[in-house]
Amino acid sequence: MSSAQHIRLRRPDPNPSPPQPTRHTGILQDQLRRAQRRPWTPSFSLAVRILMLVRMFGVMYSNIDDCDEVYNFWEPLHFLDRGSGFQTWETSPVYAIRSWAYILLHLPPVRLAAALLGTEKRPAFFAVRMFVSAFCVLAEASFYKVVADKINERVGRYLFFMLLFSAGMWNASAAFLPSSFAMYMSMFAFSFALDRPSYGNSRRTLLATVSFATGAVVGWPFALALAIPFVLEELFLFGADRVTPEVYLSWLFKRWSRLFTAGLCASLVFIPVIGIDSLAYGRLTIVPWNIVQYNIFGGAERGPNLYGTSPWSYYFLNLILNFNILVPLSVLALPALLVTYFVDNKRLGIFKPSVYESSPFTLLAIRLLPFYIWLGILTSQAHKEERFMFPAYPLLCFNAAVALYLIRGWQEALFIKITNSPYRASQSFLFARFTLSVLVATSMISFSRIMALWHYYHAPMTTVWAFETKELPRLLNATGLIPTYLGTRDDETPRIDLSSVKHFDLKLCVAKEWHRFPGSYLVPDGVAIEFVKSEFNGLLPGHFRNAPAQVNSSLWLRPGTSHVPDAQNDLNREEPSRYADVNSCDYLIDLDFPLHPRESPLEPRYAVDTKAWDRVFCRSFIDVKHSRLLTRAFWVPGEAWQKSNEFGDYCLLRNKGLVNKKEIDIKGRVIQGEI
């Protein structure tokens, strides 16, 4: 046997991965298992992939919960794209409180869908939703990763799952609303602002300021209130700096001048926004100022209160629906931090700060403040809507994640005090099971809420889907405009071309359900949409007009945006010219409650008038007045739960006389070769 020894030399790795720090350097510090493996957190790329999967489900199945989303954003986008759509007073050049710059941002995905999938409108609708949801995913993943790096890995992990499964983020992520855009930009802003300010960290100041400003100028100006703690921190807190009295004044001047410079850079966002809006409205227009002026300085006769007021408890109840047990956790975040300062102080940083440094307690408190500020401001306003809370949704989850982590820390401290054994505490699964149970519970409740929204409130979108995919093909088949594929499987049937629908000159009407109508993008071309008079006595939208431009410009897509429409007002005063005669409607969308009928001269029960109307398609819709609060708010399978709910019929109705007459006429023209 040879006694020779062999040495194997390994080629050095040209790109060695940097060693992971043995201890996390964030504001909050774990006290157990510090020498062991770091807690698992998803990488940025994995977080993006997981979030994208869930958000794309939201694209397909989430509802449109706010009529403002339809009439102030989807309809103007439809006008830019197709040349038709509903116009509210907000997009009149007289008032100009909706930004065409924001709407224009969503035109590229519409055009991309048309280039790839053809000119049908439904793919364009979902392309926009995919676009905004993908942007939201990047913002969420960035926010989560910075929390894990700068605050604590466990806090970041909790935050990730709270964002992922909450019903609130499900609703807000795919919404085509300025408040959703402000939410995205706020997450990007806090991705920079969560880092500690320092003398040499100009990047944090600039990027956070620009992100806050973009969310406010392009999206919603009131979202700038979320930046108040950031501004105070940047101006007055030492952050990562150690500032002695000798250098305090120079340090202060540097901080103030840096923020001022960042503000000047951020103000450049106004240039394209004012330029596009002025081009669209045909006059110099500063939409963010118009929004502030109307909502705050509108006077006694004007303002948001015209559209309804709610009690102070509105947002708390709404947040409970969308975030359940995370709401009390988010509100308890600051008190929990104060308790931790006294009972578990070592968790607040590695080193004890001197008088010349900012303490971890102060730094974390300033990061928890934005949610409280936003909640306080909105609660004090009389007019309340769910979408107003969107910008603070991620901050609610952040506060809840911090509170959950701190409560876990109390349990660890109590366990050690009782057992006098840090080793036994480090080996216990009690704390992990507690946090896991909270995350599983909130996720299951959120899933129940999401399913309730689908089962109980999705009928408006399902009904227009049935109109496009069932009734219009039937109409074309019956008149010979498209062939009938008998015996052909659905997946083998050629795609139906609905362009021939234009020959019917169809009119789809909406009565009392105008506020749930999902928009023109979900109704095929060739079908006019009109309103029918109901008990509602406010101002309904009119139609955009392709009128000549007020200024001679070839740079804008639709000159009609600068046309001042007739009969628009900002007093919510009803305009009779908005209504069509119900007898002129070929189809009607209406909601009927057969178990508890409700009717009036202006709102007859069209669905049971079998002499005039055929039921084409009906889907169940929750009867809120006759269903229990808990069972209508959340969905649980099984008859025991569902028997506490009552439902109505959300129906697409066909005018027997009009449609039959048109079918006979078109069929005759097809036979004669005129079509």
Side-chain angles (χ1 to χ4, degrees), residues 186 190 212 215-216 220-232 369-375 377-378 391 395:
S186 294
F190 281 102
F212 279 125
W220 197 30
F222 299 110
L224 204 59
L226 293 172
I228 292 174
F230 162 76
V231 173
L232 295 176
L369 273 179
F371 174 70
Y372 293 96
I373 292 174
W374 192 255
L375 183 62
I377 291 174
L378 293 194
L395 303 179

Side-chain angles (χ1 to χ4, degrees), residues 73 90 219 292 347 423 442 461 536 549 613 616:
F73 303 103
E90 289 100 320
V292 173
R347 198 168 295 273
Y423 174 77
T442 186
M461 298 185 75
F536 177 73
W613 302 94
V616 176

Side-chain angles (χ1 to χ4, degrees), residues 83 355 372 608 629:
V355 294
Y372 293 96
V608 298
L629 175 61

Side-chain angles (χ1 to χ4, degrees), residues 603-622:
E603 294 183 359
R605 296 182 65 198
Y606 298 109
V608 298
D609 183 6
T610 55
K611 292 183 179 180
W613 302 94
D614 280 329
R615 290 192 177 203
V616 176
F617 177 86
C618 291
R619 181 58 61 95
S620 61
F621 191 90
I622 192 77

Side-chain angles (χ1 to χ4, degrees), residues 382-435:
H383 179 64
K384 299 177 177 67
E385 296 187 38
E386 179 179 340
R387 61 190 167 96
F388 295 167
M389 190 58 71
F390 284 2
Y393 276 2
L395 303 179
L396 183 153
C397 294
F398 170 66
N399 279 32
V402 170
L404 181 61
Y405 175 81
L406 295 179
I407 294 172
R408 172 185 171 136
W410 303 347
Q411 294 177 340
E412 292 177 359
L414 181 62
F415 188 96
I416 293 173
K417 185 175 182 179
I418 293 174
T419 64
N420 197 27
S421 175
Y423 174 77
R424 288 179 60 187
S426 69
Q427 300 302 309
S428 174
F429 291 100
L430 174 65
F431 319 117
R433 287 172 180 169
F434 164 72
T435 54

Side-chain angles (χ1 to χ4, degrees), residues 294-470:
Y294 175 78
N295 285 277
I296 297 179
F297 308 111
E301 294 183 352
R302 291 171 173 81
N305 292 355
L306 285 173
Y307 303 94
T309 59
S310 302
W312 68 270
S313 58
Y314 173 87
Y315 285 120
F316 288 96
L317 296 176
N318 185 265
L319 290 174
I320 290 289
L321 279 178
N322 288 318
F323 292 94
N324 49 80
I325 59 178
L326 299 186
V327 178
L329 282 174
S330 66
V331 175
L332 288 173
L334 268 180
L337 178 60
L338 184 62
V339 172
T340 298
Y341 181 81
F342 291 104
V343 304
D344 194 19
N345 188 263
K346 291 182 179 180
R347 198 168 295 273
L348 298 175
I350 301 175
F351 304 106
K352 185 176 181 180
S354 67
V355 294
Y356 307 126
E357 299 172 297
S358 295
S359 70
F361 174 87
T362 304
L363 293 175
L364 185 55
I366 205 76
R367 284 152 178 74
L368 297 174
L369 273 179
F371 174 70
Y372 293 96
I373 292 174
W374 192 255
L375 183 62
I377 291 174
L378 293 194
T379 301
S380 66
Q381 304 303 306
H383 179 64
K384 299 177 177 67
E385 296 187 38
E386 179 179 340
R387 61 190 167 96
F388 295 167
M389 190 58 71
F390 284 2
Y393 276 2
L395 303 179
L396 183 153
C397 294
F398 170 66
N399 279 32
V402 170
L404 181 61
Y405 175 81
L406 295 179
I407 294 172
R408 172 185 171 136
W410 303 347
Q411 294 177 340
E412 292 177 359
L414 181 62
F415 188 96
I416 293 173
K417 185 175 182 179
I418 293 174
T419 64
N420 197 27
S421 175
Y423 174 77
R424 288 179 60 187
S426 69
Q427 300 302 309
S428 174
F429 291 100
L430 174 65
F431 319 117
R433 287 172 180 169
F434 164 72
T435 54
L436 178 62
S437 65
V438 172
L439 293 175
V440 170
T442 186
S443 300
M444 291 181 65
I445 298 172
S446 287
F447 179 76
S448 176
R449 174 61 180 168
I450 291 169
M451 294 301 293
L453 293 174
W454 165 259
H455 283 284
Y456 302 158
Y457 299 98
H458 199 71
M461 298 185 75
T462 307
T463 300
V464 292
W465 165 252
F467 178 62
E468 179 177 352
T469 61
K470 297 181 182 299

Side-chain angles (χ1 to χ4, degrees), residues 160-338:
F160 174 75
F161 288 107
M162 291 173 181
L163 292 172
L164 181 66
F165 291 117
S166 71
M169 292 301 296
W170 170 273
N171 295 331
S173 60
F176 181 12
L177 286 167
S179 52
S180 285
F181 181 79
M183 179 185 75
Y184 311 151
M185 296 311 301
S186 294
M187 282 191 283
F188 280 123
F190 281 102
S191 297
F192 303 113
L194 288 179
D195 195 5
R196 293 182 296 173
S198 66
Y199 191 85
N201 193 357
S202 300
R203 178 178 179 272
R204 170 193 185 267
T205 308
L206 176 63
L207 295 180
T209 304
V210 170
S211 298
F212 279 125
T214 303
V217 175
V218 180
W220 197 30
F222 299 110
L224 204 59
L226 293 172
I228 292 174
F230 162 76
V231 173
L232 295 176
E233 180 184 21
E234 187 68 29
L235 294 179
F236 300 109
L237 294 188
F238 297 153
D241 294 332
R242 190 177 188 278
V243 183
T244 60
E246 295 79 14
V247 299
Y248 178 75
L249 289 179
S250 62
W251 171 88
L252 193 65
F253 177 78
K254 168 71 174 180
R255 284 287 194 88
W256 282 62
S257 60
R258 186 173 71 184
L259 184 61
F260 180 76
T261 303
L264 288 179
C265 294
S267 67
L268 297 177
V269 176
F270 273 107
I271 295 176
V273 172
I274 293 176
I276 293 172
D277 287 336
S278 299
L279 195 63
Y281 284 118
R283 63 187 72 177
L284 178 63
T285 304
I286 305 175
V287 171
W289 165 245
N290 292 346
I291 294 174
V292 173
Q293 184 182 42
Y294 175 78
N295 285 277
I296 297 179
F297 308 111
E301 294 183 352
R302 291 171 173 81
N305 292 355
L306 285 173
Y307 303 94
T309 59
S310 302
W312 68 270
S313 58
Y314 173 87
Y315 285 120
F316 288 96
L317 296 176
N318 185 265
L319 290 174
I320 290 289
L321 279 178
N322 288 318
F323 292 94
N324 49 80
I325 59 178
L326 299 186
V327 178
L329 282 174
S330 66
V331 175
L332 288 173
L334 268 180
L337 178 60
L338 184 62

